[in-house]
Amino acid sequence: MKLISRYTDIADAFSVTDTPTPVGAPEVLLWNDHIAEELNIDLNSSQQALYFSGNKINSDVAPVALGYSGHQFGHFSPRLGDGRAHLLGAIVDKNNQAWDIQLKGAGATPFSRGGDGRCSIGPAVREYIMSEAMHALGVPTTRCLAVVASGEPVYRQTPLPGAIVTRVASSHIRVGSFQYLATQGDVAGLKALADLAIARHYPKIEATGTERYLAFLNAVMQKQIELVVSWMRVGFIHGVMNTDNTLVSGETIDYGPCAMMNDFDFDTVFSSIDHQGRYAFGNQPNIANWNCARLAESLIPLISDDEEQAVELLSSIINHFADQFNQAFTEMWEQKLGLNGSQASDNELVSELLTLLKQYNLDYTNTFNDLTQSLKDPQMMPAVLSSWAKKWLARTDEFSYGKMSEANPRVIPRNHIIETIISDFIEHKHSAQLDEFLNVLKNPYQADNEISKYQDVSGDLDKNYQTFCGT
Ligand code: AMP
Ligand code: MG
């Protein structure tokens, strides 16, 4: 396993060398063979447990904790940083692409602010399942290589078994990373970070000077739009879209309080602390827009010495967010409904459907799946949609089924199933149910095997479902 270092030379303030705190009895609970193979990681089970608990450190590279700021629920914290994460370094895969390898839950760091730097098994397994599911759903995301039990308790409201998650990401450069350097007035660091992000994620940007960083902002904005559109296509609610949880690569990160929407409602919120609905399903585009504006503010010193002029130039990009999002969002509905081209009346067709979904408390995933299947078997058409469907069917053609099958998953990681499986897993440190579920989630658009139990919308738990920032 060959690790390289990718952040240490940017700015001293940005990354602090810090060693994980060893744990008592590391044991591999989940191991992602596919990712291990891509990354050429060839270790036996006891080596896996040692390296991915933080008990053994690769001698090539010193682990670091990254500094970042963050707007959490709109309030700015200048110094958050990796309080429970260690970046071990990066591994170059078979296609010559480098991936950050990060341990989450491997002990306190200089950024822990009194926290224990630990993580319990439940949220660790949740991150593993959700990120694998999202990847298979075609949503950009960080991945999980491993979950290793620590053999030690972590103390939350009650003692819980501890675990370390290994996260794999194309980078850990956040909007909050830029805010961190901007807040310190570190213009050289800011420029180095922007250049690094461009080289890593947007290598097609060749412009220099002011144009370079405007192009960067524009590219990040496009990726955020694509990301939120793909979340909304599959019914995903991130739950904590703080600027520290927004990667400039456009990958989904931080699966703490996320959940999948059941009955369609733009106002759906599951996070126990999101009292105002800031991160509700339908507010995600507004927040992505807001987060991009925070990135823009951080870039001011790279644009012009004249602050007013810099703000004007940066705003000229951010001001396009809404139009560009709406265009991508319209295309998403066209895909989900398999429409033949686009027509001015399509917006009305979509909003009429969404009104019916809300009025009749229809499950988002199952309804779009039923509509898809109804093209082959009219019996699948939900009765309450039949009148609306006359207009819809007039807009479909022989390609509609194919388009809809690719846009509408048949199986998603439903909240109540995840909770049942996680409880089973914590109890037995293994779960045949989890293995089966992960297997089904690999092909969410085909799911030819026995999937009906995963489509079940089991009422009680989901109606009162709450999620927590617990990872
Ligand atoms: P998150 O909810 O993962 O986005 O975390 C927000 C901030 O709180 C980050 O700076 C984390 O590193 C920090 N944090 C969360 N939980 C802990 C913990 N148990 N110990 C130390 N820091 C933590
Ligand atoms: Mg976070």
Side-chain angles (χ1 to χ4, degrees):
M1 192 171 67
K2 170 92 181 108
L3 285 159
I4 56 170
S5 155
R6 297 204 292 174
Y7 295 100
T8 34
D9 46 355
I10 298 181
D12 285 347
F14 182 66
S15 75
V16 181
T17 304
D18 190 72
T19 311
T21 309
V23 295
E27 179 190 349
V28 177
L29 298 179
L30 291 170
W31 181 253
N32 194 324
D33 285 317
H34 180 72
I35 294 183
E37 201 196 309
E38 290 288 308
L39 296 177
N40 286 315
I41 298 175
D42 186 13
L43 301 172
N44 65 34
S45 175
S46 56
Q47 289 170 320
Q48 291 166 8
L50 290 174
Y51 280 115
F52 298 105
S53 59
N55 278 22
K56 185 165 179 179
I57 296 301
N58 186 295
S59 54
D60 301 335
V61 186
V64 294
L66 298 181
Y68 47 87
S69 309
H71 271 95
Q72 299 176 299
F73 288 88
H75 301 289
F76 188 61
S77 295
R79 189 182 149 92
L80 287 174
D82 287 335
R84 52 178 164 179
H86 290 83
L87 190 70
L88 296 182
I91 295 185
V92 178
D93 74 9
K94 292 183 167 163
N95 301 317
N96 218 18
Q97 193 189 336
W99 298 91
D100 279 359
I101 308 296
Q102 187 200 61
L103 300 185
K104 191 163 181 180
T109 77
F111 296 105
S112 294
R113 294 169 291 145
D116 60 2
R118 294 296 184 193
C119 171
S120 67
I121 290 186
V125 174
R126 189 180 164 80
E127 173 151 347
Y128 190 103
I129 304 173
M130 287 305 296
S131 59
E132 280 308 286
M134 292 285 271
H135 174 73
L137 285 163
V139 180
T141 178
T142 61
R143 308 280 304 272
C144 274
L145 170 67
V147 173
V148 176
S150 63
E152 295 174 353
V154 298
Y155 297 94
R156 300 293 180 254
Q157 275 95 337
T158 52
L160 299 166
I164 295 104
V165 193
T166 303
R167 183 190 273 164
V168 177
S170 65
S171 87
H172 281 88
I173 306 175
R174 306 153 192 262
V175 169
S177 316
F178 286 90
Q179 294 180 296
Y180 187 66
L181 296 173
T183 304
Q184 294 171 46
D186 182 356
V187 179
L190 208 51
K191 184 171 181 309
L193 184 64
D195 287 334
L196 182 85
I198 291 170
R200 196 170 293 169
H201 303 297
Y202 305 104
K204 290 198 180 124
I205 297 178
E206 284 173 358
T208 54
T210 301
E211 290 304 321
R212 180 172 181 76
Y213 304 110
L214 291 175
F216 170 61
L217 176 65
N218 191 43
V220 173
M221 190 171 95
Q222 301 308 322
K223 285 276 185 200
Q224 287 300 315
I225 290 174
E226 281 169 37
L227 180 67
V228 172
V229 166
S230 51
W231 286 354
M232 295 185 77
R233 177 175 59 80
V234 301
F236 178 78
I237 303 164
H238 182 279
V240 64
M241 290 173 70
N242 296 335
T243 55
D244 51 305
N245 294 334
T246 304
L247 293 176
V248 299
S249 66
E251 286 168 1
T252 313
I253 190 169
D254 246 309
Y255 285 93
C258 71
M260 303 303 294
M261 181 168 64
N262 301 306
D263 296 355
F264 170 79
D265 186 349
F266 277 128
D267 295 335
T268 308
V269 174
F270 291 111
S271 167
S272 57
I273 55 171
D274 191 1
H275 306 297
Q276 312 286 328
R278 179 179 172 88
Y279 300 136
F281 178 69
N283 206 33
Q284 298 184 115
N286 295 329
I287 296 297
N289 188 346
W290 195 87
N291 289 345
C292 287
R294 303 290 77 74
L295 174 63
E297 280 168 3
S298 309
L299 297 177
I300 287 174
L302 303 186
I303 302 299
S304 170
D305 292 337
D306 177 344
E307 193 174 321
E308 211 172 306
Q309 193 194 12
V311 169
E312 201 173 307
L313 290 167
L314 290 159
S315 304
S316 70
I317 292 176
I318 296 292
N319 291 343
H320 286 297
F321 187 102
D323 284 350
Q324 291 176 0
F325 180 84
N326 285 336
Q327 191 183 333
F329 202 43
T330 302
E331 284 164 19
M332 178 201 93
W333 294 115
E334 282 168 11
Q335 289 284 322
K336 281 183 81 68
L337 289 174
L339 302 187
N340 173 358
S342 47
Q343 287 184 3
S345 57
D346 290 343
N347 276 347
E348 206 179 304
L349 187 72
V350 171
S351 65
E352 276 177 30
L353 172 65
L354 297 181
T355 304
L356 289 165
L357 255 64
K358 180 147 191 251
Q359 183 181 345
Y360 292 102
N361 299 321
L362 296 184
D363 180 80
Y364 184 62
T365 305
N366 288 351
T367 304
F368 277 93
N369 189 26
D370 288 347
L371 285 174
T372 309
Q373 302 316 319
S374 77
L375 291 175
K376 294 213 155 159
D377 174 5
Q379 303 260 34
M380 294 297 291
M381 172 66 66
V384 292
L385 300 184
S386 55
S387 160
W388 168 86
K390 290 192 187 108
K391 282 181 267 180
W392 167 57
L393 287 168
R395 295 282 294 106
T396 58
D397 61 18
E398 73 266 34
F399 303 111
S400 299
Y401 183 81
K403 279 191 236 171
M404 291 179 74
S405 305
E406 286 173 18
N408 299 313
R410 302 183 73 173
V411 175
I412 54 164
R414 287 196 181 276
N415 308 325
H416 68 279
I417 297 177
I418 293 219
E419 295 304 329
T420 311
I421 286 179
I422 289 177
S423 306
D424 182 50
F425 189 90
I426 294 175
E427 195 179 332
H428 302 105
K429 284 200 188 160
H430 172 78
S431 165
Q433 285 181 62
L434 174 59
D435 297 343
E436 185 185 297
F437 193 39
L438 286 172
N439 213 21
V440 169
L441 289 172
K442 278 191 183 131
N443 293 303
Y445 299 96
Q446 295 161 4
D448 288 329
N449 25 6
E450 187 33 59
I451 55 165
S452 54
K453 68 178 171 187
Y454 298 114
Q455 296 176 315
D456 171 38
V457 192
S458 206
D460 282 348
L461 172 58
D462 270 4
K463 290 241 157 36
N464 307 309
Y465 189 59
Q466 276 207 319
T467 57
F468 303 88
C469 290
T471 317

